[in-house]
Amino acid sequence: MDKVSHEGHRQRLKNRFLTEGLDSFETHNILELLLFYSIPQRDTNGIAHKLLEPFGSLKGVFEADFEELIKIDGIKENTATLLKLIPEVARAYFHEEMDEQKIFDTAEKIGKYFITKYIGETNEVVYAMLLNNSYGLLDVIRIHEGSVSSAKVSPRKIVDEVVKHNAAMVVIAHNHPNGLAVPSMEDIDTTSSLFGSLSNLDITLIEHFLIAGREY
């Protein structure tokens, strides 16, 4: 493809996005468009296909390790950084949108909040949502990050945050990055132990949410 037709193709794809959005785009076209902004002088269609071969999907590309991304022909550090940035930006966007709600008085509101909180997370992460007596959001604290399949809940750290924020109620959440939204016996035992620790301080543990993809 010569320079003129290449630039024309890029502009047509940009215009298509601006008029139609991404709904009509195939996966490789979405990646191709995104790559325009870090690879200015090359045909990014082929590079998009090379990304999809090992990683299989947009989700697979965005969640791939940085070191694995830069092994792909045509992918340098700037492009790999851009690809890793996308899920982080998405999480920040949805998190900000949900934070505007401020009142979390139903399981549905809390569940939807944490689904957005875990976008792009590839390891198990534990969060504590701290609420006042009116279910108003005080803060959401990242308690611990574990491996792909495990994360520890520290009652002491949660209690310290509860006291610091003068919270009346707590919601705990953790994710199963590659599993189902089904609690293990360890999850159940942890919940029971934490409930007891907080009850001794007259703090209510409302629930322990388990997130797997779009399910809770």
Side-chain angles (χ1 to χ4, degrees):
M1 186 181 296
D2 61 49
K3 184 175 180 181
V4 174
S5 60
H6 178 64
E7 290 178 353
H9 171 70
R10 286 188 171 222
Q11 191 59 52
R12 285 192 297 273
L13 203 60
K14 291 175 184 177
N15 290 342
R16 180 181 163 197
F17 163 67
L18 291 172
T19 57
E20 301 176 12
L22 290 177
D23 288 347
S24 64
F25 277 54
E26 294 185 42
T27 302
H28 70 274
N29 293 137
I30 297 173
L31 278 175
E32 179 185 7
L33 176 62
L34 180 62
L35 295 174
F36 287 171
Y37 299 95
S38 62
I39 307 175
Q41 300 298 329
R42 290 185 61 180
D43 177 7
T44 59
N45 184 284
I47 300 174
H49 282 286
K50 289 178 182 178
L51 280 167
L52 290 170
E53 285 173 10
F55 303 124
S57 64
L58 281 177
K59 183 175 184 293
V61 170
F62 294 146
E63 293 184 358
D65 290 339
F66 182 89
E67 292 75 15
E68 293 301 313
L69 288 169
I70 59 177
K71 291 179 182 178
I72 304 299
D73 182 32
I75 301 296
K76 305 300 183 184
E77 288 189 0
N78 282 350
T79 301
T81 301
L82 175 65
L83 293 171
K84 297 302 296 179
L85 183 63
I86 297 302
E88 298 289 340
V89 170
R91 182 161 62 242
Y93 168 78
F94 286 116
H95 177 53
E96 186 175 281
E97 183 179 49
M98 294 298 291
D99 269 356
E100 293 175 357
Q101 184 171 272
K102 295 300 184 184
I103 302 297
F104 292 91
D105 54 356
T106 68
E108 182 180 11
K109 289 179 182 178
I110 298 171
K112 286 182 176 179
Y113 176 89
F114 278 115
I115 284 174
T116 65
K117 192 74 173 169
Y118 284 106
I119 291 173
E121 293 284 7
T122 55
N123 291 331
E124 283 199 12
V125 178
V126 179
Y127 282 105
M129 173 184 277
L130 309 180
L131 305 172
N132 61 25
N133 279 317
S134 301
Y135 297 92
L137 181 66
L138 298 174
D139 206 346
V140 178
I141 308 297
R142 192 180 182 98
I143 298 297
H144 184 79
E145 179 174 351
S147 65
V148 173
S149 60
S150 66
K152 296 179 181 179
V153 177
S154 170
R156 180 181 180 86
K157 184 170 183 178
I158 293 171
V159 168
D160 287 347
E161 293 293 346
V162 166
V163 172
K164 183 169 70 175
H165 289 79
N166 196 28
M169 297 178 283
V170 182
V171 177
I172 301 301
H174 81 281
N175 60 324
H176 282 179
N178 299 314
L180 301 174
V182 178
S184 65
M185 285 305 302
E186 183 179 3
D187 294 334
I188 295 170
D189 290 342
T190 297
T191 306
S192 178
S193 174
L194 188 57
F195 179 84
S197 298
L198 291 172
S199 293
N200 291 334
L201 297 173
D202 292 326
I203 304 297
T204 302
L205 176 63
I206 298 176
E207 188 56 277
H208 182 169
F209 276 74
L210 175 58
I211 310 297
R214 307 296 296 178
E215 303 293 329
Y216 66 87

